Amino acid sequence: MRIFEELESKVRGYIRAFPAVFDVAKGSEIFDEQGNRYIDFFAGAGTLNYGHNNPAISEALITYLQRDGIVHALDKATVAKQAFLESFRDTILAPRNLDYKIQFTGPTGTNSVETALKLARMVKRRSNVIAFTNGYHGLTMGALAVTGNDFYRDESYGARNNADSLPFDGYLGTDINTIDYLRKFLTDGSSGVDVPAAIIVETVQGEGGINVASDEWLRELEKLCRDLDILLIIDDIQMGNGRTGTFFSFERAGIKPDMVTVSKSIGGGLPMAILLMRPELDQWKPGEHTGTFRGNNLAFIAAATAIDTYWRTDTFAKEVKRKGAIMEEELRRIAAAHPDVPSDVRGVGMVWGLELPNGLAGQVSARAFEKGMVIELAGSRDQVVKFLPALTIEEELLREGLAIIEQCVSEVIVKEGGR
Ligand code: PMP
C-alpha cells in the first residue's frame, strides 16, 4: 500500500474502504495480490453488469486486438463502431419501439450528462435545469450543479448555477405527491423557480440511497414535462443496461424520455458513454460538441458483444428478475430477523438497498470486507448498504454473499447492543 499513500492524491476513495491490492478477477470474484478471494457485490458501481473479464467479451477483444483492429479513432467511422450501432439499433432500440439518435460523448457518465444539459439548453433556449433531492449525475461542473449531495459541492466552485433541486418521489413523505408540488412551482410565475429547459432524473437513485421512483410518479413527471414543454432526461448511467430487469430502467413505467444518458456497463466494462436523443433534438452542427476519446473502439467491440450475447432473447432479463427476487426475499428476511432495529429494504431488479440506523451500514460493509466481500454504501449519510452484484452472478455465489451479509448484520447489531 506504500506507493499509493506516498504518491496518490488524498482524493482516493474506494481504496480506503477496500484496502487490498487487487490483481485478477473473473465473473463475480476478485483476488488480491496475496490470492485472497472477495465476492464482488459492487460491480464497479454498475460498470460490471456482465461480470469481470466476461469470457465472450474478453474473447472478442483479444480477437480484435490480434487482427490490429483500430483502437482509437475520434469519431471516424470504424468497423467496430458500425457493429455497435447495428447491434444497438436492431437488438435494443427497434424491439422497444424507441426512435433515438445516438451521440458518442467522452467515455464517462458525467460527459454524457454534460452533453445532455448543454443540448437541452441549446434547443430550448432556457438556462435553467431541474434535478431532484439526493440525485447524483456526476462531478464535472454542469453535472455537479444537478447533483444533490453537499459533500461534493462547494459554494466556491460556482457550480450551483442555473439549476434547481426539487423533491424526489417520497422525499416529503408518502402522503405528498411531489409532482403536484413541482407543477405548482412551475406554473406559478412567482415561485422563483424558472421553467427549465429540462428535468433530469434517475428512475432509481443509486448513489442517493436506492430510492425507487414509482411507475406512476415517473408517468406523471413525463406528463408534466409534456404539458410545460420541458425536456425529460433520464439518467440511466447506473440503472440502465439491465440493472432493474429491463435494458432501460424507465421501461417499467412505459415512458419515452426525450434524452437518455447511458454509460457504465454499456461498454461491457470498458469506458464508454452515449447520449440518446429524440431525432428532432439532434440540432448540433458538425463537430460542435467534440472530445478526443469518443472513439474507444475496444469499448464498441465489448458493447456489441454484450448486446449480442445477452439481449437478443429475454432469457437474461428473466434471470435478472429471478435473481433480484432472491435478493429481495433474503434482504427482507435479514431485516425481519432484527425487529428492534429500524431498517428499510428497497430496490428493483438486481439493485437493492438495506438502510440501517446509527452508522451500522458502514460497519456491515467494513465487516463484510474482512470476510471477503466488496460491497459499498449509498445515501447522503452512507446509511444504506448497497447490493449491486454483476447481473451474471451465479445463484450460488449470490446466496453465499447474502449469507455473509446476514452474519455481518447480526454481528454488528450484537456489538452495538442492538441499537
Ligand atoms: N449519473 C449517475 C446516475 C451515476 O450513478 C454516475 C456515477 N456514479 C454518474 C452519472 C457519473 O458517472 P461517471 O462517474 O462515469 O462520471
Side-chain angles (χ1 to χ4, degrees), residues 297-333:
N297 283 263
L298 288 180
F300 299 157
I301 291 292
T305 308
I307 291 170
D308 296 347
T309 309
Y310 294 103
W311 294 100
R312 281 198 176 148
T313 68
D314 61 2
T315 313
F316 182 64
K318 279 190 182 145
E319 270 295 284
V320 172
K321 289 183 184 129
R322 188 182 69 81
K323 286 184 281 189
I326 296 174
M327 293 171 73
E328 175 172 15
E329 192 187 321
E330 289 299 301
L331 290 175
R332 293 206 187 283
R333 199 175 53 72

Side-chain angles (χ1 to χ4, degrees), residues 33-65:
E33 59 179 352
Q34 270 96 38
N36 297 312
R37 166 211 188 230
Y38 303 83
I39 301 175
D40 188 5
F41 265 33
F42 176 29
T47 305
L48 296 162
N49 283 6
Y50 308 109
H52 291 264
N53 293 308
N54 180 288
I57 295 174
S58 293
E59 195 191 316
L61 289 172
I62 290 164
T63 307
Y64 187 75
L65 282 171

Side-chain angles (χ1 to χ4, degrees), residues 45 107-111 113 136-139 202 204 206-207 235-239 261 263-264 386:
T108 67
T110 201
N111 288 129
V113 171
Y136 185 98
H137 300 287
L139 297 186
E202 299 154 87
V204 180
E207 304 302 323
D235 181 343
D236 231 12
I237 288 168
Q238 187 160 156
M239 294 304 150
T261 57
S263 184
K264 296 205 190 250
K386 181 181 179 191

Side-chain angles (χ1 to χ4, degrees), residues 331-351:
L331 290 175
R332 293 206 187 283
R333 199 175 53 72
I334 293 170
H338 304 281
D340 43 331
V341 177
S343 62
D344 191 29
V345 172
R346 47 184 189 257
V348 56
M350 282 180 73
V351 50

Side-chain angles (χ1 to χ4, degrees), residues 21 55 100 133 136 179 193 218 324 413 418:
V21 180
Y100 287 128
T133 49
Y136 185 98
I179 299 293
V193 176
L218 290 167
I413 288 175

